[in-house]
Structure formats: structure tokens, C-alpha cells
């Protein structure tokens, strides 16, 4: 199998591939794809600087899948989720989840507890983020008084999501649903930080996706993973400059060092990662999982 062809999963038909995850549909007895469930498969692929690196990070897919399942359990009092089963084919054991197929809302629901990235750029331009006025004097990494909802569009693969004014969310999905997903998104991040901070991790921001099951709003996709969120080591938090990434710092530092021979501005794909960077990055994913869940990754 070349890296460009999706994995064959017995009993499932490939539906879609994202940067680091793939979607499959279960087949019914006649071999026809069912329309009531999906299989979400997390790969070991890692995305950095808008490139999907050729070098996989062993067990990344499994660690992030198990972490997301742990968070779903801890968020069930806030919102139901789409998980149906973790009984999946051996070829994707531990890194796939059978989920209920939902009518997905066309909004990337982002909440920010700390100011950085695109939110910081918006703030520096006019003191607001997503149209919400923030206190003066904030800098890169500043903690916000409370999590802020900063939705964006669902851009096609390879393009960047665009900030979506709250009024546009209301126009798209209606005011009641917009209010519901805003409140849920900020509550999920607040809950995540309550738990993560006790374990030495700050979750600066997160992206969640919701779908509808009839009239019910259901939490979908993955939740509070280092792929959907910015994880920062709490002991290194220092507002005023870019914070080190909990999980991607080794990759970023090597890729931007002279050792890689890569020029980020060149537009060329990054080189393969050396074994030590792969091992260190794997260890950080496992460490984040074990610190947050208190479980041993196996
Ligand atoms: C963006 C994301 C994706 C995940 C994994 C790989 C590529 C894309 N995605 C999720 C759905 C989706 N559709 C219907 N029901 C659902 N429960 C879900 C979910 N989750 C569609 N796309």
C-alpha cells in the first residue's frame, strides 16, 4: 500500500481522508455502505506547518483516539456524543471509533482560553476577537477572563478556515442553535482546562464539531486532543511570546533548525524526521495521555 492510498478496512468502504484521519462507512450484508454509522480512523500521520509529514509517529493515532474517548466520557453530563462502539476491525484496533452518522453543522466551533495564533492577530488589529472586545494590554499567551467562542468556516482540504462572525453562525444555523453550540464549546474548554490544569497541561484553545441527531445536538469528531487543541506545558507558560507546544515542539524545533536543511518559506515539503525526534514526539503524546487520564498507554 502506498502512503497515498487509504487503508483497506474489511467490512468498510473508504469515504474520505483528512490530513491525519480517515472516514469509512460500514457495509451491510449486501455489501452496500450503511448511512447510519461511520468509522473514524486516526492515522499516525502528523501535520506541521500545513504539511502532512511523510514520517509517521508510531501510536499517535491510538493515543489520540483513546484520549478523545476519555474526554467524551468526562463530558457526557454536558453533551451527548456520537460514539457507538470501539469494537473495530483488528487492522485499526485502538485507533478507530464507530460513530453515529449525524447531520453535521457547517461550523468549526472554536473556543479560546488563552490568546495566540489567529485570535491574537485579530486582537492586535482592533482589540476584539470574533467581534468580542477583550481587555487592553493582552499579549501572546495571555489567559482570557473566560473562554471566548471564535467560530470559523469549514474550509476545503488544504485551505485555512476563515473566522466566522457570530451573526453569520446565527444566519447559517439559527440563533437558538448558535447559542447552544457557543455555550457548549466554551463549557467543554472550561471543563478541559479544569481537569488538564491539575495535571500540568494548559489547553489554550480547542476546535469541536457538532452534529444533529434529530433535534438533539451531539458532540462529534474528536475532542480535546493535541490535534484539535493547543496543548501547552503549564510549568513553561509565560505570556509575551509564543508558548512551546506540548506535543509538536520537538518537530518544530528540528524542522526550523539548520540540522533539517529545510526552509519553511520555500514552500517545499519538509524532510523526513530523524528517529530521535520521532521517539521524543511519540513520548510526548503518551505522556500527555498518561498524565491526563492516569492510565498507562499500552
Ligand atoms: C471532519 C470530520 C472528519 C473526521 C475524520 C476524518 C475526516 C473528516 N468529519 C466528521 C464527519 C461526520 N459526519 C457524520 N457524522 C459524524 N458523526 C461525523 C463525525 N465525526 C464528517 N467529517
Amino acid at each position: 500500500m502506498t502512503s497515498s492510498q487509504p487503508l483497506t478496512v474489511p467490512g468498510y468502504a473508504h469515504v474520505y481522508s483528512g490530513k491525519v484521519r480517515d472516514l469509512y462507512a460500514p457495509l451491510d450484508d449486501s455489501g452496500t455502505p450503511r448511512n447510519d454509522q461511520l468509522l473514524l480512523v486516526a492515522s499516525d500521520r502528523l501535520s506541521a506547518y500545513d504539511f502532512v509529514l511523510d514520517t509517521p509517529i508510531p501510536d499517535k493515532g491510538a493515543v489520540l483516539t483513546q484520549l478523545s474517548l476519555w474526554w467524551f466520557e468526562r463530558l457526557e453530563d454536558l453533551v451527548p456524543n456520537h460514539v457507538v462502539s470501539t469494537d473495530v476491525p483488528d487492522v485499526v484496533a485502538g485507533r478507530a471509533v464507530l460513530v453515529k452518522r449525524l447531520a453535521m453543522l457547517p461550523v468549526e466551533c472554536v473556543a479560546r482560553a488563552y490568546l495566540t495564533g489567529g485570535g491574537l492577530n485579530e486582537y492586535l488589529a482592533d482589540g476584539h476577537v470574533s467581534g468580542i472586545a477583550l481587555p487592553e494590554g493582552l499579549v501572546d499567551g495571555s489567559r482570557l477572563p473566560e473562554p471566548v467562542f471564535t467560530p470559523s468556516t469549514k474550509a476545503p482540504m488544504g485551505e485555512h478556515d476563515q473566522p466566522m462572525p457570530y451573526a453569520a453562525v446565527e444566519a447559517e444555523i439559527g440563533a437558538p442553535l448558535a447559542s447552544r453550540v457557543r455555550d457548549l464549546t466554551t463549557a467543554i474548554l472550561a471543563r478541559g482546562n479544569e481537569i488538564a490544569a491539575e495535571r500540568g497541561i494548559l489547553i489554550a484553545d480547542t476546535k469541536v464539531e457538532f452534529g444533529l441527531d434529530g433535534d438533539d445536538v451531539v458532540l462529534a469528531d474528536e475532542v480535546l486532543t493535541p490535534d484539535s487543541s493547543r496543548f501547552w506545558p503549564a510549568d513553561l507558560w509565560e505570556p509575551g511570546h509564543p508558548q512551546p507546544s506540548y506535543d509538536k515542539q520537538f518537530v518544530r524545533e528540528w524542522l526550523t533548525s539548520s540540522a533539517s536543511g529545510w526552509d519553511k518559506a520555500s514552500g517545499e515539503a519538509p524532510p523526513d524526521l530523524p528517529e530521535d525526534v520521532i521517539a521524543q514526539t511519540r513520548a510526548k503524546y503518551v505522556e500527555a495521555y498518561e498524565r491526563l487520564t492516569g492510565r498507562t498507554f499500552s
Side-chain angles (χ1 to χ4, degrees):
M1 175 192 78
T2 65
S3 60
S4 63
Q5 290 168 347
L7 182 70
T8 298
V9 180
Y12 291 82
H14 177 255
V15 170
Y16 171 80
S17 284
K19 282 186 175 180
V20 297
R21 291 176 303 153
D22 305 291
L23 272 182
Y24 295 77
L27 301 175
D28 65 19
D29 295 341
S30 70
T32 305
R34 290 172 52 170
N35 62 7
D36 62 338
Q37 292 179 343
L38 287 166
L39 188 73
L40 261 63
V41 178
S43 76
D44 290 344
R45 302 190 297 268
L46 184 140
S47 174
Y49 299 117
D50 285 335
F51 286 95
V52 176
L53 304 188
D54 283 339
T55 328
I57 305 298
D59 295 324
K60 173 178 179 278
V63 172
L64 268 56
T65 297
Q66 297 310 312
L67 178 59
S68 189
L69 288 166
W70 183 83
W71 281 118
F72 276 127
E73 289 170 10
R74 269 140 203 83
L75 296 165
E76 276 179 337
D77 62 308
L78 291 178
V79 62
N81 61 65
H82 66 161
V83 174
V84 169
S85 168
T86 55
D87 180 13
V88 299
D90 290 347
V91 70
V92 289
R95 63 184 183 94
V97 184
L98 190 64
V99 301
K100 184 175 181 57
R101 194 184 289 232
L102 305 168
M104 297 302 286
L105 297 178
V107 183
E108 298 287 17
C109 292
V110 178
R112 300 174 188 271
Y114 296 79
L115 192 61
T116 194
L120 173 67
N121 293 337
E122 283 189 50
Y123 170 78
L124 293 175
D126 67 5
H128 293 66
V129 62
S130 278
I132 298 163
L134 296 179
E136 291 183 5
L138 300 180
V139 296
D140 195 352
S142 286
R143 185 181 174 103
L144 299 176
E146 58 183 359
V148 175
F149 184 58
T150 64
S152 62
T153 60
K154 288 190 175 182
M157 173 97 108
E159 295 179 29
H160 287 283
D161 299 342
Q162 297 303 316
M164 198 173 179
Y166 185 71
V169 178
E170 292 183 304
E172 190 76 24
I173 63 175
L177 208 42
S179 173
R180 173 85 169 129
V181 298
R182 173 188 60 193
D183 294 349
L184 282 173
T185 305
T186 53
I188 286 166
L189 181 56
R191 173 75 56 84
N193 267 315
E194 279 169 25
I195 295 172
E198 293 168 1
R199 291 137 166 108
I201 293 171
L202 301 181
I203 306 175
D205 49 46
T206 197
K207 175 195 73 74
V208 295
E209 297 204 24
F210 296 100
L212 293 179
D213 179 15
D215 292 332
D216 297 333
V217 175
V218 177
L219 181 59
D221 202 9
E222 62 183 322
V223 63
L224 294 172
T225 72
D227 272 357
S228 68
S229 319
R230 282 188 175 91
F231 276 35
W232 293 343
D235 60 343
L236 298 181
W237 177 55
E238 185 181 63
H241 56 76
Q243 306 305 304
S245 162
Y246 194 95
D247 53 296
K248 297 186 174 71
Q249 197 58 27
F250 290 115
V251 170
R252 289 176 180 168
E253 284 178 358
W254 185 79
L255 283 176
T256 53
S257 75
S258 58
S260 74
W262 182 61
D263 173 7
K264 188 168 67 144
S266 69
E268 291 169 10
D272 290 352
L273 299 176
E275 284 304 320
D276 62 320
V277 173
I278 295 167
Q280 288 168 324
T281 302
R282 178 189 180 279
K284 292 304 285 185
Y285 284 116
V286 172
E287 181 189 295
Y289 171 80
E290 295 189 343
R291 284 173 72 166
L292 286 169
T293 67
R295 299 171 180 172
T296 301
F297 175 74
S298 58

